[in-house]
């Protein structure tokens, strides 16, 4: 059994694609599925209309905005490997969801729009990758259109995110007329032919250098010159520094026309790491062949309104998962029956019977499981993985039900969405649910919260922004002192921790300076 686990884990690649909105993450996801044979024509996943038919009502907002709020895990086979692609929400606004997803992957594909280079959202996401030491493969997308000089894009990567770019493939084509890519590792030039709207795999032909020079003319000369420069700079793909998060293999192409996509997908298999033992809370590695263990990185309720249920998405860290096995939740010590385990492909569910390290299982009816919970085989030793980092909230709001007759639904919704981590609900011990303060990393979390309370709990709310500028963790002794100060409010979190909210961050600074004995801890991200 342990040999099977080790060999199955070695076939897994669990990764996410990160990008600034519109750089092409959705298109690339779809093209990966096309090249892996998981879909037969481009257009199936990308079509926002298609998603509308398949997903629940609360995603109406997602449709209107044309953004992806829900994270799904796609599992597909490619070259005798099992790829798990975890979707990160692709909106401009910040969301804690993304961080949680990045806690569950082993590598990341970073997509850059080659006309725009590094954009703000990419920078922010990249910081998270760095803090988790995630290896990053870079895809320079949209070379079918005129864009920046690829050498300039490499400079940006090096300067702005401090990763040493090592081009694996290089574009051949001038002024947006992309002909194909050269694989610098083999010196093979692959020339592609476009298909209508890139709906099908692009026919490709490997062309020897001499013929390429004759047939591609100036485009070839330019690429050859740049490649020579890269070789002189020794900017070659280097596995150890990639795995250490110091260098990034760079691929070029066009997700829309499929040029260069196969090279990139091959790199996910050939370069990205297979699951490795994950450290538990005490820093002790949980070996892949130890009994089954997993941790929950996402909880979502009411994904499908016909089912009205709650799914916890768990990443398997060790052992073999068999549907029906009983797992213990480390936090509550309660057993959890896994009779209903599924994979979720888009909005479709398929029952999953077995899973291995790196896989994601959707545990249906997961009442009692929270984000960050560790699960372990009831017959094995207890294991607790480090909690998923909580990010310091940056925006605050208050919420009231529009219809006071709906306060029961409102309370139920608050509890549910707090547990799911959609927002953090902070309560005043004296006021209870009457006037909670909502805290989030980005404004969008509030919009999702309000939308879901309305649609799923039939409790429309009024949101007003709350005037707080900073938040700190505190204890009950310090809370008693802080409570007396103007512009400070003491509230409690779902986990019982006390937090202090400050209307003025300079007032906070003064308190920190003048009264160092008070407990005012940062909520640490990372
Ligand atoms: P996202 O998930 O990162 O937000 O990006 P998405 O894939 O939705 O792509 C954003 C836009 O960029 C889409 O155009 C898409 O067709 C286009 N795009 C993606 N990859 C490429 C590429 O390699 N070359 C070119 N030229 N365009 C690309 P749209 O007009 O917003 O949507 P649609 O009407 O094409 O669906």
């Amino acid at each position: 059994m342990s040999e099977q686990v080790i060999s199955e884990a070695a076939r897994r690649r669990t990764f996410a694609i990160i990008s600034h909105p519109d750089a092409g993450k959705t298109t690339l996801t779809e093209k990966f599925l096309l090249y892996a044979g998981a879909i037969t024509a481009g257009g199936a996943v990308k079509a926002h209309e298609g998603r509308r038919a398949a997903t629940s009502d609360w995603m109406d907002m997602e449709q209107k905005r044309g953004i992806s709020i829900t994270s799904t895990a796609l599992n597909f086979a490619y070259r005798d490997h099992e790829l798990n692609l975890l979707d990160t929400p692709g909106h401009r606004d910040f969301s804690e969801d993304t961080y949680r997803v990045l806690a569950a992957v082993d590598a990341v594909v970073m997509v850059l729009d080659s006309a725009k280079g590094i954009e703000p959202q990419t920078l922010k996401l990249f910081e998270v990758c760095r803090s988790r030491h995630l290896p990053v493969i870079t895809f320079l997308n949209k070379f079918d259109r005129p864009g920046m000089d690829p050498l300039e894009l490499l400079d940006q990567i090096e300067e702005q995110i401090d990763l040493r770019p090592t081009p694996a493939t290089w574009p051949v084509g001038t002024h947006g007329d992309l002909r194909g890519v050269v694989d610098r590792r083999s010196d093979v030039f692959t020339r592609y032919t476009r298909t209508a709207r890139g709906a099908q795999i692009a026919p490709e032909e490997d062309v020897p250098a001499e013929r390429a020079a004759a047939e591609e003319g100036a485009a070839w000369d330019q690429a050859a010159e740049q490649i020579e420069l890269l070789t002189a700079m020794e900017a070659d793909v280097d596995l150890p520094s990639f795995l250490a998060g110091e260098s990034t293999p760079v691929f070029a192409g066009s997700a829309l026309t499929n040029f260069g996509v196969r090279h990139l997908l091959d790199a996910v298999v050939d370069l990205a790491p297979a699951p490795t033992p994950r450290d538990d809370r005490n820093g002790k590695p949980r070996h892949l062949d130890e009994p089954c263990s997993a941790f929950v990185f996402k909880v979502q309720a009411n994904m499908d309104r016909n089912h009205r249920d709650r799914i916890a998405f768990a990443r398997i860290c060790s052992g073999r998962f068999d549907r029906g096995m009983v797992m213990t939740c480390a936090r509550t010590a309660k057993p959890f029956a896994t009779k209903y385990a599924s994979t979720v492909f888009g909005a479709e569910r398929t029952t999953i019977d077995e899973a291995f390290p790196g896989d994601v299982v959707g545990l249906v009816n997961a009442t009692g499981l929270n984000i960050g919970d560790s699960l372990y085989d009831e017959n094995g030793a207890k294991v607790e993985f480090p909690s998923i980092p909580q990010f310091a909230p940056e925006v605050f709001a208050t919420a009231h039900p529009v219809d006071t007759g709906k306060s029961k639904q409102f309370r139920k919704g608050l509890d549910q969405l707090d547990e799911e981590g959609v927002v953090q609900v902070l309560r005043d011990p004296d006021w209870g649910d009457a006037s909670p303060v909502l805290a989030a990393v980005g404004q969008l979390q509030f919009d999702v919260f309000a939308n879901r309370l309305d649609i799923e709990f039939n409790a429309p709310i009024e949101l007003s922004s709350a005037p707080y500028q900073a938040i700190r963790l505190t204890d009950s002794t310090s809370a008693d002192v802080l409570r007396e100060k103007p512009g400070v409010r003491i509230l409690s979190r779902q986990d019982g921790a006390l937090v202090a909210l400050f209307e003025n961050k300079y007032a906070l600074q003064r308190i920190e300076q003048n009264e160092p004995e008070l407990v005012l801890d940062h909520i640490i991200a990372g």
Side-chain angles (χ1 to χ4, degrees), residues 19 21-27 46 141-142 144-145 254-256:
S19 72
D22 283 339
K25 179 167 65 85
T26 316
T27 313
K46 169 83 184 75
N141 190 27
K142 304 198 187 182
D144 57 304
R145 290 202 310 211
S254 157
L256 189 70

Side-chain angles (χ1 to χ4, degrees), residues 6 11 22 44 48 93-94 104 111 118 159 172 279 492 496 510 526:
I6 299 282
R11 297 200 305 122
D22 283 339
H48 295 306
D93 209 347
F94 228 28
V111 181
I118 306 239
E159 275 163 26
V172 178
D279 284 352
S492 67
R510 255 200 320 276

Side-chain angles (χ1 to χ4, degrees), residues 4 6 48 75 146 148 159 194-195 197 214 262 347 349 405 408 461 522:
Q4 184 202 19
I6 299 282
H48 295 306
N75 165 266
M148 286 162 60
E159 275 163 26
R194 280 182 85 132
T195 63
R197 295 184 311 281
R262 186 179 52 76
R349 288 188 203 167
K408 199 169 141 208
I461 54 165
H522 285 264

Side-chain angles (χ1 to χ4, degrees), residues 293-337:
S293 66
F295 74 91
V296 176
F297 65 94
K298 182 174 179 68
V299 171
Q300 189 157 45
N302 307 341
M303 278 184 83
D304 180 342
R305 299 201 85 206
N306 299 325
H307 289 78
R308 277 241 160 242
D309 51 19
R310 189 164 187 269
I311 300 190
F313 291 92
R315 176 195 153 119
I316 307 293
C317 300
S318 68
R320 174 185 157 136
F321 170 86
D322 285 298
R323 185 167 65 83
M325 73 191 293
V326 178
M327 312 261 304
T328 307
C329 170
R331 177 179 51 87
T332 59
K334 285 199 178 132
F336 181 83

